[in-house]
Amino acid sequence: MTGATTVISAFRRGEWRTSLDRAPLPGPAGRELALVPEIVVDADRRHWDGALAGLPLLTGRRELLLTALDLFDSGTLTVGGIGEQSPAAFRAALWESAGLPGPLVDRWCAMLRDGVLKRDDAPEPDGALTLVALPGNTFTCLDAVCDQAERSAGVWLRPSRREPISAARLVAALLAAGWPRARLGFYPGEQRALHGLLRLTDRHVVYGGAGLAASVRSSPALTLHGPGRGCALVPPGMPTDDAVAWLLPLIAADSGRFCSNVRTVVCEKPDAAEPLALGLAAALDALLPGGPWPLTAFREPGAAESATRGIRDRLRPGDRILTRRPPVLRSTTDDVHALPHIALLEGHLTIFKPPHHPLIGHEVPFPSAAVLSASPQAARAITAESLFVYRPAK
């Protein structure tokens, strides 16, 4: 993906196809993504309806998926617009355009395969055409593509414009494993085109933040993965050092990019919040971009600054940022990292009701958490709004 302009193709009607509508990708210049206009998607849905009855029976889906995931991780694949892509080239492209370090890519590839291996018996496929609209923070959400490929007549992927490389590679891996071409689609598009794709497909799995969640109309056919607002509850008798050791991976694992990462730490004991926050801040200040808890790099200009500024802008009087390093690190190779943040919220929260403190549950694509003390009543209200609630093992 160097030299002349490279355009990652769409995949529609069984072929990789380019488009006059394109969007630049983050990272080095000369990399673009072909966009599919809604009028073309509409025509492709009509084509699908006419072709569905004539598609041959697809058996052995689980085995094909596992073969595809092996190829996704370690195979050389032909990706539309990119050409032959080795495993090393895949990892280099993700680092250059999305700032994902190699060890994190290795971990996420293993998680995808493990996710399929741990599933129950394969479901009975139906006749649905399913859309999976993917996020840009992690490609582990490709697990939803694998799930829907097993249970649907066809599956269309809508990649994030921030990171379409992994989704395009999965399509290439499925094709190389023998998945029927007519049953797959790769439909990059403008943000406004998502609603058209929802209208034109039968079942939908959509990932996105609070803004997207608010814009998508709920329906029985929609599975919406919005903000996780991960929360950890620290009991009164837990020693600070033990709490730090327990919380550090919950905050820092996977570069803080998962919706399941902890964003809010609630201490029931009022005087426990500050020493815990100080301990967490020291532990996070010791993390290095290439260490055992690797940090991702930001490739879009100003994105790291914007994300870290968003934390400081949400502070209220008396709140403090306890991590001591500068918010953003620019390395000698011009890689830009948003460094971990720990915020200590002022006071003891007794009632949790709107308007909420804006840092409670606030999600950013790097390790960051707010620490506070709260009454049992307020703690229950915070956890009621969290999809991921963590308590230490007894």
Side-chain angles (χ1 to χ4, degrees):
M1 295 179 68
T2 58
T5 299
T6 297
V7 183
I8 297 178
S9 303
F11 187 82
R12 34 179 298 271
R13 298 197 190 187
E15 301 292 340
W16 293 103
R17 302 170 188 265
T18 189
S19 171
L20 295 178
D21 296 318
R22 300 174 181 177
L25 295 180
R31 305 179 184 190
E32 298 179 344
L33 177 65
L35 306 179
V36 183
E38 187 173 339
I39 190 172
V40 174
V41 181
D42 192 282
D44 286 355
R45 173 64 209 228
R46 294 194 300 273
H47 179 268
W48 165 262
D49 289 338
L52 176 59
L55 294 180
L57 184 68
L58 175 58
T59 59
R61 297 188 185 207
R62 180 69 55 87
E63 291 74 17
L64 289 176
L65 283 173
L66 291 172
T67 298
L69 291 175
D70 284 341
L71 292 169
F72 178 85
D73 180 8
S74 56
T76 295
L77 298 168
T78 302
V79 183
I82 297 175
E84 295 295 304
Q85 185 187 64
S86 68
F90 171 52
R91 285 156 174 79
L94 285 181
W95 172 246
E96 292 169 359
S97 67
L100 300 181
L104 198 61
V105 175
D106 294 342
R107 169 175 161 80
W108 290 357
C109 285
M111 290 175 69
L112 282 175
R113 181 176 175 80
D114 288 348
V116 173
L117 286 171
K118 291 176 181 177
R119 286 207 186 101
D120 296 331
D121 292 339
E124 186 67 27
D126 58 23
L129 176 61
T130 299
L131 170 73
V132 181
L134 295 159
N137 58 314
T138 169
F139 65 74
T140 57
C141 295
L142 291 171
D143 179 70
V145 177
C146 297
D147 176 60
Q148 292 301 322
E150 279 202 281
R151 66 181 66 247
S152 308
V155 61
W156 287 0
L157 289 68
R158 180 187 183 272
S160 165
R161 284 174 54 182
R162 287 185 290 134
E163 197 286 276
I165 295 169
S166 59
R169 182 171 172 87
L170 181 62
V171 171
L174 286 165
L175 295 173
W179 206 272
R181 304 175 75 87
R183 293 183 182 270
L184 289 172
F186 180 69
Y187 284 85
E190 300 282 359
Q191 180 63 38
R192 62 179 179 271
L194 172 60
H195 297 279
L197 281 164
L198 292 172
R199 176 178 58 84
L200 290 165
T201 49
D202 307 316
R203 187 162 52 233
H204 333 287
V205 181
V206 178
Y207 293 84
L212 175 62
S215 72
V216 176
R217 181 177 300 174
S218 179
S219 78
L222 172 66
T223 300
L224 178 62
H225 298 278
R229 300 175 64 86
C231 175
L233 299 177
V234 181
M238 191 173 193
T240 297
D241 289 348
D242 291 350
V244 169
W246 170 58
L247 289 166
L248 181 61
L250 295 176
I251 295 170
D254 300 294
S255 294
R257 287 198 163 213
F258 283 11
C259 63
S260 56
N261 282 108
V262 164
R263 307 297 177 177
T264 310
V265 178
V266 180
C267 299
E268 293 184 31
K269 188 178 179 183
D271 61 358
E274 183 167 357
L276 176 57
L278 286 168
L280 284 171
L284 289 170
D285 274 336
L287 296 184
L288 299 174
W293 301 101
L295 301 176
T296 56
F298 285 66
R299 299 307 189 202
E300 296 175 279
E305 291 81 1
S306 176
T308 56
R309 186 170 57 249
I311 295 174
R312 299 193 299 275
D313 289 346
R314 287 170 168 80
L315 295 173
R316 289 180 173 176
D319 298 340
R320 289 178 286 157
I321 300 291
L322 297 186
T323 35
R324 294 180 175 273
R325 290 187 291 181
V328 174
L329 170 69
R330 186 179 295 274
S331 73
T332 55
T333 56
D334 281 339
D335 295 319
V336 179
H337 302 273
L339 295 180
H341 280 54
I342 288 292
L344 175 64
L345 306 191
E346 173 71 8
H348 180 70
L349 187 66
T350 57
I351 299 175
F352 183 69
K353 63 179 182 180
H356 303 147
H357 193 295
L359 278 179
I360 293 178
H362 178 57
E363 295 191 1
V364 289
F366 60 92
S368 174
V371 181
L372 70 148
S373 69
S375 68
Q377 177 187 1
R380 285 193 297 271
I382 292 172
T383 59
E385 296 195 355
S386 302
L387 295 181
F388 301 93
V389 179
Y390 301 91
R391 296 174 174 86
K394 294 182 180 180

